[in-house]
Amino acid sequence: MILKVPPSAKNKMSTAPKLLIDQHGRRVDYIRLSITDRCDFRCVYCMAESMTFLPRAEVLSLEECARLVTVFVALGVSKVRITGGEPLVRKNALWLFSAIGQLEGLQELVLTTNGSQLEFQAQDLKNAGVKRINISIDSLDADRFKAITRTGELAKVLRGIQAAKIAGFESIKMNTVLMRGINEDEALNLLEFAIQQEIDISFIEEMPLGDVDHVRGSTFVSNDDTLKQLQSQYALLASTETTGGPARYWRVPNTSTKVGFISPHSHNFCEACNRVRITCKGELYLCLGQESKIDLMPLLRNHPHDDQPLIDAILASMQIKPKGHDFDLSRAQPSIIRFMSHTGG
Ligand code: SAM
Ligand code: SF4
């Protein structure tokens, strides 16, 4: 199948003069785009066991995804993360990576994946222009991995990591969500694995996104506790590196491994927030932890040959980007009703 970005979209983009600056003076230069809400896994912290996914017509086509990214890049966005759901289970996803990978002005095309398809796709993704890759892995024990993902096979993901190493991405990072009573005892093992593989690892605190099958507060593990656990074995060195997001980094001395801690519950990163998220339905969420959003799909579909309405709406959305998120684990109900797989992690 040949997929094409409409030429009108391409032409108008190069003349769009504005940058994305929000009402608090923050420059937005990073988008995270979810290209599907579907997934071959059902991780317990991300999804309920039984999920209803969106009908195809309500999901952005790959051409619409490419057109949107083209507009954002013309508005000064230099980093794009493709996520989901599981982006690599979307049919023809590789076409989208190739289309985006060629955009002038885009400095970083990166991907978050569960790794299940990487053994088949890693090299093509690298050739398409993907620079860095995050692979989610929450356990190195096959039975436990299966229990957490409900359907996943650890061996496949490990083969995916090897394929990614062979493909030669600039960096490979494992993403791990630790849960109390489930895999909190694996922090050190997982770090040791990352060191052995000469890749990075980030620990992500569980976020109250969507109604899953357990009470969120009951499984929450704070990154402060994880850091203490790792420091009992490693003299970690704090790094000043930042991505403008909720991650803090540490270096493991005498190794090439960096350890990240993504702690969305601490508010202090919001001041430097440089990102927005686009769901697979074309909703532009200005903050992961707030409901402020605009719908881009009608603008894409009602104006197939004119990007100006889209550009105007994106520029206007900067006025509703919230100052910070509003996560609260003490609430019985999830803070945000939508699942991470819908918004894109
Ligand atoms: N399927 C891909 C994957 O698992 O990497 C990409 C999408 S997934 C939603 C992106 C990241 O979000 C994963 O690293 C996952 O562990 C994390 N995640 C999902 N739900 C979460 C939650 N409720 N709290 C914290 N992290 C979550
Ligand atoms: Fe799928 Fe990723 Fe969510 Fe796991 S975290 S269910 S792999 S979208």
Side-chain angles (χ1 to χ4, degrees):
M1 181 169 61
I2 298 172
L3 302 163
K4 273 190 158 177
V5 182
S8 65
K10 276 189 180 162
N11 295 341
K12 296 220 166 134
M13 291 310 83
S14 55
T15 55
K18 302 231 170 68
L19 294 178
L20 298 175
I21 313 274
D22 81 352
Q23 58 172 336
H24 306 289
R26 297 169 298 191
R27 162 99 191 269
V28 171
D29 58 8
Y30 175 17
I31 57 172
R32 299 166 78 108
L33 171 64
S34 167
I35 63 168
T36 179
D37 60 336
R38 289 164 197 256
C39 186
D40 49 344
F41 291 2
R42 296 282 184 280
C43 302
V44 291
Y45 50 78
C46 178
M47 294 192 180
E49 186 147 24
S50 121
M51 292 285 290
T52 309
F53 296 108
L54 292 166
R56 176 52 65 90
E58 286 181 31
V59 173
L60 293 174
S61 69
L62 292 178
E63 294 93 329
E64 287 167 336
C65 290
R67 186 177 162 202
L68 263 185
V69 173
T70 308
V71 167
F72 273 97
V73 169
L75 290 168
V77 163
S78 58
K79 176 172 173 182
V80 175
R81 177 173 301 281
I82 301 296
T83 179
E86 175 46 42
L88 300 185
V89 299
R90 173 117 191 219
K91 205 167 158 214
N92 286 324
L94 205 57
W95 173 85
L96 178 66
F97 286 97
S98 302
I100 300 175
Q102 293 167 14
L103 289 176
E104 224 173 279
L106 182 67
Q107 283 160 21
E108 279 189 282
L109 174 58
V110 298
L111 162 70
T112 302
T113 174
N114 65 20
S116 70
Q117 308 302 313
L118 270 184
E119 60 178 312
F120 314 113
Q121 299 189 19
Q123 192 62 60
D124 288 340
L125 289 163
K126 172 71 173 53
N127 296 346
V130 174
K131 292 253 182 343
R132 296 186 290 107
I133 190 159
N134 289 354
I135 305 171
S136 302
I137 179 163
D138 303 314
S139 176
L140 290 170
D141 175 279
D143 292 338
R144 204 184 256 186
F145 185 88
K146 168 78 85 193
I148 294 172
T149 58
R150 292 192 180 107
T151 61
E153 195 192 317
L154 176 65
K156 233 176 160 185
V157 175
L158 295 179
R159 289 199 296 272
I161 293 178
Q162 294 316 314
K165 284 176 67 178
I166 292 166
F169 293 100
E170 274 174 26
S171 89
I172 301 173
K173 188 175 75 164
M174 290 157 54
N175 272 349
T176 297
V177 177
L178 291 180
M179 299 178 77
R180 189 161 307 287
I182 297 179
N183 63 342
E184 63 184 321
D185 56 342
E186 286 204 55
L188 271 166
N189 272 353
L190 284 156
L191 174 57
E192 270 152 29
F193 177 76
I195 293 170
Q196 223 179 58
Q197 296 296 319
E198 301 182 323
I199 62 180
D200 298 324
I201 182 165
S202 278
F203 293 94
I204 309 177
E205 283 178 351
E206 185 180 358
M207 290 176 244
L209 294 170
D211 206 357
V212 291
D213 300 328
H214 62 271
V215 177
R216 292 286 190 183
S218 66
T219 49
F220 181 71
V221 174
S222 100
N223 269 340
D224 290 343
D225 291 347
T226 306
L227 175 61
K228 273 188 214 139
Q229 217 190 115
L230 301 184
Q231 281 175 324
S232 70
Q233 299 293 319
Y234 292 96
L236 299 180
L237 300 168
S239 157
T240 50
E241 211 167 321
T242 170
T243 58
R248 289 168 299 139
Y249 292 98
W250 299 72
R251 294 235 156 236
V252 186
N254 307 318
T255 76
S256 58
T257 297
K258 229 171 34 178
V259 190
F261 293 93
I262 302 176
S263 313
H265 297 97
S266 65
H267 265 272
N268 44 21
F269 64 87
C270 296
E271 284 88 71
C273 182
N274 62 346
R275 61 200 60 193
V276 293
R277 290 176 162 80
I278 304 161
T279 69
C280 55
K281 288 173 76 169
E283 300 150 307
L284 173 65
Y285 276 99
L286 285 312
C287 172
L288 179 64
Q290 297 271 12
E291 295 295 359
S292 322
K293 66 156 181 172
I294 59 168
D295 279 328
L296 300 178
M297 190 179 282
L299 299 168
L300 281 163
R301 295 198 174 165
N302 295 339
H303 306 276
H305 303 296
D306 182 5
D307 291 322
Q308 203 54 51
L310 200 56
I311 292 172
D312 292 343
I314 295 168
L315 287 168
S317 74
M318 291 296 107
Q319 296 314 308
I320 59 163
K321 183 164 165 61
K323 199 164 179 199
H325 65 67
D326 182 28
F327 290 136
D328 183 356
L329 282 172
S330 62
R331 289 187 203 144
Q333 296 300 318
S335 301
I336 295 288
I337 304 301
R338 62 185 189 272
F339 288 95
M340 184 75 128
S341 53
H342 176 98
T343 317

